[in-house]
Amino acid sequence: MMGAEFVQLSLTPILIGTLSAIACALPGNFLILRRQALIGDAISHVVLPGIVVAFLVTGSLASLPMLAGAAGAALVAVFLIETIRRLGRIEPGAAMGVVFTSMFAGGVLLLEQSDTSGVHLDVEHALMGNLESLIWFDATGWASLLDPAAVAGLPPELPRIALVAAAITVLMLVFWRPLKLSTFDEGFAATLGLPVRLIGLALVAVSAVAAVAAFDAVGSIIVIAMFICPPAAARLMTERLEHQVAWSVLFATLAAVLGYVLAGYGPLWFGSPNAVSAAGMIATVSGAILAIACIAAPHRRRIGQPAG
Amino acid sequence: MSTSLSVLADALLLQGGYNAALVAIGAALLGIAAGAGGTFLFLRKRALVSDAIAHATLPGVGLAFLAMVAFGLDGRSLIGLIAGSALSAAAGLFAVEWITRRTRLAEDTAIGAVLSVFFGFGIVLLTVIQTQSQGRQAGLEGFLLGSTAGMLFQDAVVIAVGGVLAIAALVALRRPMTMVAFDPGFAAATGVNTGRVDMAMMMLVLAVTVTGLKIVGLVLIVALLIIPAVAARLWSERTDRVILAAGAIGGVSGYLGAAISAAAPGLPTGPIIVLVSFALFLGSLLFAPQRGVLAAAIRHRSFQLRLHRRQGLLSLARSEPIFDPLTLRVLQREGLIRTDRVATEDGRAAAARALRDERRFEIAREIHRDDPFAHRYDGLTPIEDVMTPDEIAEIDRLVNRPLSVGAPA
Amino acid sequence: MSRIVTPPALGLVATREAEAEARAEAGRAALALREITVSYGESPAVFSVDATFPRDSLVAIVGPNGAGKSTLLKAALGIVPRLSGTVTVFGMPLERARDRIAYVPQRASVDWDFPTRVIDVVMMGLYRELGLLGLVRASHRERARACLARVGMADFAERQIGQLSGGQQQRVFLARALAQGADLYLLDEPFAGVDAATEKAIIDVLKELKAEARTVVCVHHDLATVTDYFDRVLLINTRKVAEGPVATTFTGANLQATYGGRLASAHIDQLKLAD
Ligand SMILES: Nc1ncnc2c1ncn2[C@@H]1O[C@H](COP(=O)(O)OP(=O)(O)OP(=O)(O)O)[C@@H](O)[C@H]1O
Ligand SMILES: [Mg+2]
């Protein structure tokens, strides 16, 4: 299991899955604390139209236009949600429901109408992801990690998600204080002169970039599990934000690795030769982690909530 | 192009074949039920719970398929799949409620977690099904985004009947649901069992969702529950009218969407229906009479101008300096002051009137003291609009004697 | 004060000198508000209020519920948009003087379930000083603890913020404001829901602030303590009724004008008033 075949078939998907999960869980911590978990939902849906439009404009699936397209679509979505909420005096959840379903519908129709047969972009993958296909053809074993030629043949998704995960980590460290401040007490942050709206928008844009980088691997709906489940489980483990974020990274990693392994090797234990969807399994495992946390984590109850 | 147009025309006029007609009618009925039913959810501020319900159907679809195949039945039976999806949707709904009640996590977190985890598990099951019985690949993917192409006659009947039943249930339950949606506290006080009514509302939403899965798809059916309700809300402040309007908008969306999709069989039905309803929503947002964007913009601007005019006039009357550029602009435009900020003849007259009204109200407030009357005065409305001529005359009698504030009235 | 309405002298207009004079006066004050109007909907919550808060003073803003007191503070801070008016802080526009103001809202609209401790909240007051990446030194922690101690909350430093009573939470936010080391304090009902001992502790802190040549503005509801606690008072009810030193402004007539008939004269008689 740990030999050449593992490096070729499983190493890159596991890495990509893990990095995706971490890249999403980091901003996810703030989304759930801001009661914006469903913004994660909305973002992951509008990534699709963002990518499709970027593809139609540039004609390629290069990383940069896709990231820009998705981040742009997320900001457009947030803008529309905010506009509808304010202009129509509609509660945010409903405004969100209006916007992301419509944008997603638009994306699906655009995708169906345009000719994307030459590239790896279709509705099914957009919904389900395709982690298993991100294999490392050129690898012959662990030694390939040191072989420049083989490294050049890594699936491009890997360096992309690695870069995104690193960038998100750095951003989060640098802007930790304003982020924490404006998440905890937006009014106070505003009186300090912090650009609270900008911080909120930046969080959304960063989440969108994480979502699009993870999109290839897990599709637009399972991304939501990565945004929400590890941070939610982590919230139940501690009363300190710093610790919560650390727990969420741990849970994200656990879900990604365990999910991939179960998807690939689990069916064998039941005597079936066919693997099941790794993305789906990662979501399932992260759900299981959350379920366990909900039942047994030390800080699972709201303050003042009766035991039992 | 012209052929597809004529196909569309046929479909709209129910000429596109028996099946297409039935599907369009089914979609319209479903749209009415979803629009009206979704309104209650929207008014309860729980619109997105339906998204969790919708995504939670997927494992049920997969499990029902596997179970039916295991028992030697046809795995594609719509009734069976609907039953399975209803069970797992109920489980998802239960999970959302349990997490929200029993842990510190908020409802939105619970919704997102349930939605994505159930969906992920459903995808796992779909991959199991795909590999197990390649031959009978069931087209379960159609449940994701909806497809009416090649829909069986009996499936169309199932959907139409489901829509009718849901509408019937709505009509039967509309009173208690309206009461609970409008004011749960009051409803509970008058003896309505709000818990049970909420439950019924959720069951209704669940029923609409599973009925509509085949046409709209589970990813987007939430749109049919939310968009018509939101659009309708813009048109009226009365609950019953909002519900009717939402039903109408949903019905039109379903009907038009299904008809368009019949004319373009390659496209998934769900997105088309959603976009039609979004177009109706946009129209409402712009043009609705009270809450519409245009109406609001006009109102706000005129309020601001009135305010600045009034403030400027009072400043003139009290010989106070005016700094505010907008105030200056308003006064200048109406010819009340000259460009060098000196009041014109008209300006002086208007300022005197403004001050007189201000004075009249001061007296009115003296007289009425505790009366909520005092709140009728916002400083902007002409006095003639708030008081009767008799009241004004009475006040004017008092204006002519000096009055110290705080003296007994 | 009785306001005899004089016949309006019309025709006079704003002169440049008047404008300059107003500017100069605003420059001398800690906070100067001109013609502030705020409206949430179609009718104004604060209408055309002028108010000046001189440096080095302890000022009460007094008025009935819904009078627009909180709104006036928020407008001064730029938290709610103004329909008209200007705000001058130590002679500067608001934006340039932000780091000299600290504000404690009437009800902190925070998530009490947030994963953070009391001491972390007070540390937030040091943000201006620490910046994005500034190192937290022992001296910073010391100061945060000292601020907590000043409001009598030193023993609660490690608690999760939700595990406090309402009055204790209020004190933590006051401690955070103290940590800010501002020159102008805007406090919205700092005594709401606190016990007598705490109220005493808080007013002592506020008097210390004034002694340190800082300006403190409090929205205040307890008419009985106005004369003891404050040197100046601003009475408003959507419009300004009166402002000035407590000794000359906090009169029965002005209170009647502010509260209308809601305040029985018998009640007013029991108050310690200026005459
Ligand atoms: N966010 C808001 N949206 C709409 N109206 C508001 C809002 N906040 C305040 N108001 C209205 O503005 C008016 C002034 O409110 P404000 O909070 O300033 O009163 P206040 O003097 O602080 O009262 P209290 O003594 O009760 O704190 C009230 O009539 C209130 O109903
Ligand atoms: Mg207030």
Side-chain angles (χ1 to χ4, degrees), chain A residues 177 185 192-193 235 239-241 244 303, chain C residues 98 113 115-117 128 131 134 160 176:
Chain A
R177 277 181 197 146
D185 191 344
L192 286 180
R235 176 66 195 93
E239 294 286 15
R240 290 187 60 184
L241 185 56
Q244 177 188 321
I303 296 155
Chain C
R98 281 216 180 275
D113 212 24
T116 191
R117 294 169 306 168
R128 280 260 167 201
Q160 196 269 341
R176 180 176 70 182

mmCIF file with all atom_site columns, all heavy atoms in Angstrom, chain A residues 177 185 192-193 235 239-241 244 303, chain C residues 98 113 115-117 128 131 134 160 176:
data_model
loop_
_atom_site.group_PDB
_atom_site.id
_atom_site.type_symbol
_atom_site.label_atom_id
_atom_site.label_alt_id
_atom_site.label_comp_id
_atom_site.label_asym_id
_atom_site.label_entity_id
_atom_site.label_seq_id
_atom_site.pdbx_PDB_ins_code
_atom_site.Cartn_x
_atom_site.Cartn_y
_atom_site.Cartn_z
_atom_site.occupancy
_atom_site.B_iso_or_equiv
_atom_site.pdbx_formal_charge
_atom_site.auth_seq_id
_atom_site.auth_comp_id
_atom_site.auth_asym_id
_atom_site.auth_atom_id
_atom_site.pdbx_PDB_model_num
ATOM 1   N N   . ARG A 1 177 ? -5.604  39.800 13.992 1.00 0.00 ? 177 ARG A N   1
ATOM 2   C CA  . ARG A 1 177 ? -6.227  40.703 14.974 1.00 0.00 ? 177 ARG A CA  1
ATOM 3   C C   . ARG A 1 177 ? -7.460  41.420 14.421 1.00 0.00 ? 177 ARG A C   1
ATOM 4   O O   . ARG A 1 177 ? -8.517  41.377 15.044 1.00 0.00 ? 177 ARG A O   1
ATOM 5   C CB  . ARG A 1 177 ? -5.205  41.712 15.479 1.00 0.00 ? 177 ARG A CB  1
ATOM 6   C CG  . ARG A 1 177 ? -4.370  41.134 16.595 1.00 0.00 ? 177 ARG A CG  1
ATOM 7   C CD  . ARG A 1 177 ? -3.360  42.109 17.140 1.00 0.00 ? 177 ARG A CD  1
ATOM 8   N NE  . ARG A 1 177 ? -2.361  41.378 17.898 1.00 0.00 ? 177 ARG A NE  1
ATOM 9   C CZ  . ARG A 1 177 ? -1.085  41.724 17.964 1.00 0.00 ? 177 ARG A CZ  1
ATOM 10  N NH1 . ARG A 1 177 ? -0.655  42.782 17.303 1.00 0.00 ? 177 ARG A NH1 1
ATOM 11  N NH2 . ARG A 1 177 ? -0.254  41.018 18.668 1.00 0.00 ? 177 ARG A NH2 1
ATOM 12  N N   . ASP A 1 185 ? -16.762 41.818 17.518 1.00 0.00 ? 185 ASP A N   1
ATOM 13  C CA  . ASP A 1 185 ? -17.482 43.036 17.847 1.00 0.00 ? 185 ASP A CA  1
ATOM 14  C C   . ASP A 1 185 ? -17.315 44.043 16.706 1.00 0.00 ? 185 ASP A C   1
ATOM 15  O O   . ASP A 1 185 ? -16.418 44.878 16.718 1.00 0.00 ? 185 ASP A O   1
ATOM 16  C CB  . ASP A 1 185 ? -16.932 43.613 19.158 1.00 0.00 ? 185 ASP A CB  1
ATOM 17  C CG  . ASP A 1 185 ? -17.813 44.730 19.704 1.00 0.00 ? 185 ASP A CG  1
ATOM 18  O OD1 . ASP A 1 185 ? -18.648 45.243 18.937 1.00 0.00 ? 185 ASP A OD1 1
ATOM 19  O OD2 . ASP A 1 185 ? -17.654 45.075 20.883 1.00 0.00 ? 185 ASP A OD2 1
ATOM 20  N N   . LEU A 1 192 ? -12.856 51.822 15.913 1.00 0.00 ? 192 LEU A N   1
ATOM 21  C CA  . LEU A 1 192 ? -11.397 51.905 15.828 1.00 0.00 ? 192 LEU A CA  1
ATOM 22  C C   . LEU A 1 192 ? -10.954 52.372 14.447 1.00 0.00 ? 192 LEU A C   1
ATOM 23  O O   . LEU A 1 192 ? -9.772  52.572 14.212 1.00 0.00 ? 192 LEU A O   1
ATOM 24  C CB  . LEU A 1 192 ? -10.771 50.541 16.090 1.00 0.00 ? 192 LEU A CB  1
ATOM 25  C CG  . LEU A 1 192 ? -10.760 50.022 17.517 1.00 0.00 ? 192 LEU A CG  1
ATOM 26  C CD1 . LEU A 1 192 ? -10.112 48.664 17.562 1.00 0.00 ? 192 LEU A CD1 1
ATOM 27  C CD2 . LEU A 1 192 ? -10.008 50.983 18.417 1.00 0.00 ? 192 LEU A CD2 1
ATOM 28  N N   . GLY A 1 193 ? -11.930 52.494 13.528 1.00 0.00 ? 193 GLY A N   1
ATOM 29  C CA  . GLY A 1 193 ? -11.578 52.902 12.179 1.00 0.00 ? 193 GLY A CA  1
ATOM 30  C C   . GLY A 1 193 ? -11.188 51.732 11.306 1.00 0.00 ? 193 GLY A C   1
ATOM 31  O O   . GLY A 1 193 ? -10.696 51.919 10.193 1.00 0.00 ? 193 GLY A O   1
ATOM 32  N N   . ARG A 1 235 ? -15.311 24.111 17.181 1.00 0.00 ? 235 ARG A N   1
ATOM 33  C CA  . ARG A 1 235 ? -15.943 25.061 18.103 1.00 0.00 ? 235 ARG A CA  1
ATOM 34  C C   . ARG A 1 235 ? -16.379 24.367 19.383 1.00 0.00 ? 235 ARG A C   1
ATOM 35  O O   . ARG A 1 235 ? -16.404 24.963 20.455 1.00 0.00 ? 235 ARG A O   1
ATOM 36  C CB  . ARG A 1 235 ? -17.153 25.726 17.425 1.00 0.00 ? 235 ARG A CB  1
ATOM 37  C CG  . ARG A 1 235 ? -17.959 26.661 18.313 1.00 0.00 ? 235 ARG A CG  1
ATOM 38  C CD  . ARG A 1 235 ? -17.142 27.869 18.687 1.00 0.00 ? 235 ARG A CD  1
ATOM 39  N NE  . ARG A 1 235 ? -17.698 28.644 19.792 1.00 0.00 ? 235 ARG A NE  1
ATOM 40  C CZ  . ARG A 1 235 ? -17.360 28.476 21.063 1.00 0.00 ? 235 ARG A CZ  1
ATOM 41  N NH1 . ARG A 1 235 ? -16.516 27.526 21.402 1.00 0.00 ? 235 ARG A NH1 1
ATOM 42  N NH2 . ARG A 1 235 ? -17.886 29.244 21.992 1.00 0.00 ? 235 ARG A NH2 1
ATOM 43  N N   . GLU A 1 239 ? -12.885 26.940 24.161 1.00 0.00 ? 239 GLU A N   1
ATOM 44  C CA  . GLU A 1 239 ? -13.477 28.270 24.325 1.00 0.00 ? 239 GLU A CA  1
ATOM 45  C C   . GLU A 1 239 ? -12.523 29.348 23.848 1.00 0.00 ? 239 GLU A C   1
ATOM 46  O O   . GLU A 1 239 ? -12.696 30.513 24.179 1.00 0.00 ? 239 GLU A O   1
ATOM 47  C CB  . GLU A 1 239 ? -13.823 28.531 25.799 1.00 0.00 ? 239 GLU A CB  1
ATOM 48  C CG  . GLU A 1 239 ? -14.909 27.644 26.363 1.00 0.00 ? 239 GLU A CG  1
ATOM 49  C CD  . GLU A 1 239 ? -16.294 28.011 25.873 1.00 0.00 ? 239 GLU A CD  1
ATOM 50  O OE1 . GLU A 1 239 ? -16.406 28.752 24.897 1.00 0.00 ? 239 GLU A OE1 1
ATOM 51  O OE2 . GLU A 1 239 ? -17.268 27.539 26.490 1.00 0.00 ? 239 GLU A OE2 1
ATOM 52  N N   . ARG A 1 240 ? -11.471 28.969 23.133 1.00 0.00 ? 240 ARG A N   1
ATOM 53  C CA  . ARG A 1 240 ? -10.543 29.995 22.658 1.00 0.00 ? 240 ARG A CA  1
ATOM 54  C C   . ARG A 1 240 ? -10.365 29.898 21.167 1.00 0.00 ? 240 ARG A C   1
ATOM 55  O O   . ARG A 1 240 ? -10.156 28.811 20.612 1.00 0.00 ? 240 ARG A O   1
ATOM 56  C CB  . ARG A 1 240 ? -9.194  29.848 23.364 1.00 0.00 ? 240 ARG A CB  1
ATOM 57  C CG  . ARG A 1 240 ? -9.289  30.232 24.823 1.00 0.00 ? 240 ARG A CG  1
ATOM 58  C CD  . ARG A 1 240 ? -7.942  30.248 25.475 1.00 0.00 ? 240 ARG A CD  1
ATOM 59  N NE  . ARG A 1 240 ? -7.041  31.204 24.847 1.00 0.00 ? 240 ARG A NE  1
ATOM 60  C CZ  . ARG A 1 240 ? -5.763  31.337 25.203 1.00 0.00 ? 240 ARG A CZ  1
ATOM 61  N NH1 . ARG A 1 240 ? -5.265  30.548 26.132 1.00 0.00 ? 240 ARG A NH1 1
ATOM 62  N NH2 . ARG A 1 240 ? -4.994  32.215 24.612 1.00 0.00 ? 240 ARG A NH2 1
ATOM 63  N N   . LEU A 1 241 ? -10.436 31.046 20.525 1.00 0.00 ? 241 LEU A N   1
ATOM 64  C CA  . LEU A 1 241 ? -10.421 31.056 19.070 1.00 0.00 ? 241 LEU A CA  1
ATOM 65  C C   . LEU A 1 241 ? -9.143  30.434 18.506 1.00 0.00 ? 241 LEU A C   1
ATOM 66  O O   . LEU A 1 241 ? -9.187  29.677 17.540 1.00 0.00 ? 241 LEU A O   1
ATOM 67  C CB  . LEU A 1 241 ? -10.586 32.500 18.573 1.00 0.00 ? 241 LEU A CB  1
ATOM 68  C CG  . LEU A 1 241 ? -10.701 32.650 17.066 1.00 0.00 ? 241 LEU A CG  1
ATOM 69  C CD1 . LEU A 1 241 ? -11.849 31.810 16.531 1.00 0.00 ? 241 LEU A CD1 1
ATOM 70  C CD2 . LEU A 1 241 ? -10.939 34.112 16.695 1.00 0.00 ? 241 LEU A CD2 1
ATOM 71  N N   . GLN A 1 244 ? -9.446  26.852 18.656 1.00 0.00 ? 244 GLN A N   1
ATOM 72  C CA  . GLN A 1 244 ? -10.463 26.370 17.729 1.00 0.00 ? 244 GLN A CA  1
ATOM 73  C C   . GLN A 1 244 ? -9.879  26.208 16.328 1.00 0.00 ? 244 GLN A C   1
ATOM 74  O O   . GLN A 1 244 ? -10.116 25.204 15.652 1.00 0.00 ? 244 GLN A O   1
ATOM 75  C CB  . GLN A 1 244 ? -11.645 27.345 17.692 1.00 0.00 ? 244 GLN A CB  1
ATOM 76  C CG  . GLN A 1 244 ? -12.702 26.923 16.685 1.00 0.00 ? 244 GLN A CG  1
ATOM 77  C CD  . GLN A 1 244 ? -13.777 27.977 16.494 1.00 0.00 ? 244 GLN A CD  1
ATOM 78  O OE1 . GLN A 1 244 ? -14.197 28.629 17.438 1.00 0.00 ? 244 GLN A OE1 1
ATOM 79  N NE2 . GLN A 1 244 ? -14.227 28.128 15.270 1.00 0.00 ? 244 GLN A NE2 1
ATOM 80  N N   . ILE A 1 303 ? -23.785 28.257 26.438 1.00 0.00 ? 303 ILE A N   1
ATOM 81  C CA  . ILE A 1 303 ? -23.789 28.719 27.825 1.00 0.00 ? 303 ILE A CA  1
ATOM 82  C C   . ILE A 1 303 ? -25.221 28.789 28.315 1.00 0.00 ? 303 ILE A C   1
ATOM 83  O O   . ILE A 1 303 ? -26.087 29.343 27.642 1.00 0.00 ? 303 ILE A O   1
ATOM 84  C CB  . ILE A 1 303 ? -23.129 30.105 27.906 1.00 0.00 ? 303 ILE A CB  1
ATOM 85  C CG1 . ILE A 1 303 ? -21.685 29.968 27.505 1.00 0.00 ? 303 ILE A CG1 1
ATOM 86  C CG2 . ILE A 1 303 ? -23.250 30.671 29.302 1.00 0.00 ? 303 ILE A CG2 1
ATOM 87  C CD1 . ILE A 1 303 ? -21.112 31.242 26.974 1.00 0.00 ? 303 ILE A CD1 1
ATOM 88  N N   . ARG C 2 98  ? -10.010 59.396 15.249 1.00 0.00 ? 98  ARG C N   1
ATOM 89  C CA  . ARG C 2 98  ? -10.589 58.150 15.752 1.00 0.00 ? 98  ARG C CA  1
ATOM 90  C C   . ARG C 2 98  ? -9.852  57.563 16.943 1.00 0.00 ? 98  ARG C C   1
ATOM 91  O O   . ARG C 2 98  ? -10.458 57.056 17.873 1.00 0.00 ? 98  ARG C O   1
ATOM 92  C CB  . ARG C 2 98  ? -10.599 57.101 14.645 1.00 0.00 ? 98  ARG C CB  1
ATOM 93  C CG  . ARG C 2 98  ? -11.709 57.293 13.685 1.00 0.00 ? 98  ARG C CG  1
ATOM 94  C CD  . ARG C 2 98  ? -12.238 55.953 13.231 1.00 0.00 ? 98  ARG C CD  1
ATOM 95  N NE  . ARG C 2 98  ? -13.317 56.167 12.288 1.00 0.00 ? 98  ARG C NE  1
ATOM 96  C CZ  . ARG C 2 98  ? -14.570 56.374 12.671 1.00 0.00 ? 98  ARG C CZ  1
ATOM 97  N NH1 . ARG C 2 98  ? -14.869 56.355 13.946 1.00 0.00 ? 98  ARG C NH1 1
ATOM 98  N NH2 . ARG C 2 98  ? -15.497 56.583 11.776 1.00 0.00 ? 98  ARG C NH2 1
ATOM 99  N N   . ASP C 2 113 ? -21.387 33.964 22.825 1.00 0.00 ? 113 ASP C N   1
ATOM 100 C CA  . ASP C 2 113 ? -20.921 32.588 22.731 1.00 0.00 ? 113 ASP C CA  1
ATOM 101 C C   . ASP C 2 113 ? -19.552 32.521 22.051 1.00 0.00 ? 113 ASP C C   1
ATOM 102 O O   . ASP C 2 113 ? -19.019 31.451 21.811 1.00 0.00 ? 113 ASP C O   1
ATOM 103 C CB  . ASP C 2 113 ? -21.955 31.796 21.921 1.00 0.00 ? 113 ASP C CB  1
ATOM 104 C CG  . ASP C 2 113 ? -22.044 30.363 22.377 1.00 0.00 ? 113 ASP C CG  1
ATOM 105 O OD1 . ASP C 2 113 ? -21.693 30.109 23.535 1.00 0.00 ? 113 ASP C OD1 1
ATOM 106 O OD2 . ASP C 2 113 ? -22.454 29.521 21.582 1.00 0.00 ? 113 ASP C OD2 1
ATOM 107 N N   . PRO C 2 115 ? -15.752 32.306 21.129 1.00 0.00 ? 115 PRO C N   1
ATOM 108 C CA  . PRO C 2 115 ? -14.675 31.658 21.870 1.00 0.00 ? 115 PRO C CA  1
ATOM 109 C C   . PRO C 2 115 ? -13.573 32.650 22.252 1.00 0.00 ? 115 PRO C C   1
ATOM 110 O O   . PRO C 2 115 ? -12.545 32.729 21.581 1.00 0.00 ? 115 PRO C O   1
ATOM 111 C CB  . PRO C 2 115 ? -14.162 30.597 20.903 1.00 0.00 ? 115 PRO C CB  1
ATOM 112 C CG  . PRO C 2 115 ? -14.512 31.102 19.559 1.00 0.00 ? 115 PRO C CG  1
ATOM 113 C CD  . PRO C 2 115 ? -15.767 31.896 19.723 1.00 0.00 ? 115 PRO C CD  1
ATOM 114 N N   . THR C 2 116 ? -13.780 33.393 23.298 1.00 0.00 ? 116 THR C N   1
ATOM 115 C CA  . THR C 2 116 ? -12.762 34.346 23.720 1.00 0.00 ? 116 THR C CA  1
ATOM 116 C C   . THR C 2 116 ? -12.898 34.624 25.209 1.00 0.00 ? 116 THR C C   1
ATOM 117 O O   . THR C 2 116 ? -13.994 34.528 25.767 1.00 0.00 ? 116 THR C O   1
ATOM 118 C CB  . THR C 2 116 ? -12.873 35.648 22.908 1.00 0.00 ? 116 THR C CB  1
ATOM 119 O OG1 . THR C 2 116 ? -11.736 36.438 23.157 1.00 0.00 ? 116 THR C OG1 1
ATOM 120 C CG2 . THR C 2 116 ? -14.112 36.430 23.281 1.00 0.00 ? 116 THR C CG2 1
ATOM 121 N N   . ARG C 2 117 ? -11.787 34.975 25.863 1.00 0.00 ? 117 ARG C N   1
ATOM 122 C CA  . ARG C 2 117 ? -11.807 35.188 27.311 1.00 0.00 ? 117 ARG C CA  1
ATOM 123 C C   . ARG C 2 117 ? -11.908 36.684 27.623 1.00 0.00 ? 117 ARG C C   1
ATOM 124 O O   . ARG C 2 117 ? -11.665 37.532 26.771 1.00 0.00 ? 117 ARG C O   1
ATOM 125 C CB  . ARG C 2 117 ? -10.529 34.637 27.935 1.00 0.00 ? 117 ARG C CB  1
ATOM 126 C CG  . ARG C 2 117 ? -10.395 33.134 27.830 1.00 0.00 ? 117 ARG C CG  1
ATOM 127 C CD  . ARG C 2 117 ? -8.996  32.723 28.214 1.00 0.00 ? 117 ARG C CD  1
ATOM 128 N NE  . ARG C 2 117 ? -8.001  33.450 27.421 1.00 0.00 ? 117 ARG C NE  1
ATOM 129 C CZ  . ARG C 2 117 ? -6.698  33.472 27.687 1.00 0.00 ? 117 ARG C CZ  1
ATOM 130 N NH1 . ARG C 2 117 ? -6.241  32.822 28.717 1.00 0.00 ? 117 ARG C NH1 1
ATOM 131 N NH2 . ARG C 2 117 ? -5.869  34.148 26.912 1.00 0.00 ? 117 ARG C NH2 1
ATOM 132 N N   . ARG C 2 128 ? -5.042  49.581 18.627 1.00 0.00 ? 128 ARG C N   1
ATOM 133 C CA  . ARG C 2 128 ? -4.438  50.741 17.968 1.00 0.00 ? 128 ARG C CA  1
ATOM 134 C C   . ARG C 2 128 ? -2.930  50.769 18.193 1.00 0.00 ? 128 ARG C C   1
ATOM 135 O O   . ARG C 2 128 ? -2.148  51.162 17.338 1.00 0.00 ? 128 ARG C O   1
ATOM 136 C CB  . ARG C 2 128 ? -5.048  52.018 18.531 1.00 0.00 ? 128 ARG C CB  1
ATOM 137 C CG  . ARG C 2 128 ? -6.379  52.312 17.919 1.00 0.00 ? 128 ARG C CG  1
ATOM 138 C CD  . ARG C 2 128 ? -6.165  53.354 16.861 1.00 0.00 ? 128 ARG C CD  1
ATOM 139 N NE  . ARG C 2 128 ? -7.316  53.492 16.017 1.00 0.00 ? 128 ARG C NE  1
ATOM 140 C CZ  . ARG C 2 128 ? -7.246  54.020 14.798 1.00 0.00 ? 128 ARG C CZ  1
ATOM 141 N NH1 . ARG C 2 128 ? -6.095  54.421 14.321 1.00 0.00 ? 128 ARG C NH1 1
ATOM 142 N NH2 . ARG C 2 128 ? -8.316  54.150 14.072 1.00 0.00 ? 128 ARG C NH2 1
ATOM 143 N N   . GLY C 2 131 ? -1.251  47.249 16.596 1.00 0.00 ? 131 GLY C N   1
ATOM 144 C CA  . GLY C 2 131 ? -1.269  47.146 15.140 1.00 0.00 ? 131 GLY C CA  1
ATOM 145 C C   . GLY C 2 131 ? -1.419  45.700 14.701 1.00 0.00 ? 131 GLY C C   1
ATOM 146 O O   . GLY C 2 131 ? -1.801  44.828 15.480 1.00 0.00 ? 131 GLY C O   1
ATOM 147 N N   . GLY C 2 134 ? 2.293   43.770 15.872 1.00 0.00 ? 134 GLY C N   1
ATOM 148 C CA  . GLY C 2 134 ? 3.083   44.156 17.040 1.00 0.00 ? 134 GLY C CA  1
ATOM 149 C C   . GLY C 2 134 ? 3.086   43.065 18.098 1.00 0.00 ? 134 GLY C C   1
ATOM 150 O O   . GLY C 2 134 ? 2.082   42.393 18.323 1.00 0.00 ? 134 GLY C O   1
ATOM 151 N N   . GLN C 2 160 ? -14.604 32.648 30.014 1.00 0.00 ? 160 GLN C N   1
ATOM 152 C CA  . GLN C 2 160 ? -15.170 32.874 28.691 1.00 0.00 ? 160 GLN C CA  1
ATOM 153 C C   . GLN C 2 160 ? -16.179 34.020 28.831 1.00 0.00 ? 160 GLN C C   1
ATOM 154 O O   . GLN C 2 160 ? -16.883 34.113 29.845 1.00 0.00 ? 160 GLN C O   1
ATOM 155 C CB  . GLN C 2 160 ? -15.849 31.602 28.183 1.00 0.00 ? 160 GLN C CB  1
ATOM 156 C CG  . GLN C 2 160 ? -16.144 31.585 26.689 1.00 0.00 ? 160 GLN C CG  1
ATOM 157 C CD  . GLN C 2 160 ? -17.518 32.121 26.371 1.00 0.00 ? 160 GLN C CD  1
ATOM 158 O OE1 . GLN C 2 160 ? -18.370 32.176 27.237 1.00 0.00 ? 160 GLN C OE1 1
ATOM 159 N NE2 . GLN C 2 160 ? -17.706 32.527 25.132 1.00 0.00 ? 160 GLN C NE2 1
ATOM 160 N N   . ARG C 2 176 ? -12.239 47.616 28.517 1.00 0.00 ? 176 ARG C N   1
ATOM 161 C CA  . ARG C 2 176 ? -11.644 47.670 27.177 1.00 0.00 ? 176 ARG C CA  1
ATOM 162 C C   . ARG C 2 176 ? -11.485 49.120 26.726 1.00 0.00 ? 176 ARG C C   1
ATOM 163 O O   . ARG C 2 176 ? -10.464 49.496 26.134 1.00 0.00 ? 176 ARG C O   1
ATOM 164 C CB  . ARG C 2 176 ? -12.511 46.895 26.179 1.00 0.00 ? 176 ARG C CB  1
ATOM 165 C CG  . ARG C 2 176 ? -11.943 46.920 24.783 1.00 0.00 ? 176 ARG C CG  1
ATOM 166 C CD  . ARG C 2 176 ? -12.760 46.080 23.824 1.00 0.00 ? 176 ARG C CD  1
ATOM 167 N NE  . ARG C 2 176 ? -14.064 46.687 23.560 1.00 0.00 ? 176 ARG C NE  1
ATOM 168 C CZ  . ARG C 2 176 ? -14.989 46.140 22.790 1.00 0.00 ? 176 ARG C CZ  1
ATOM 169 N NH1 . ARG C 2 176 ? -14.769 44.963 22.215 1.00 0.00 ? 176 ARG C NH1 1
ATOM 170 N NH2 . ARG C 2 176 ? -16.135 46.736 22.580 1.00 0.00 ? 176 ARG C NH2 1
#
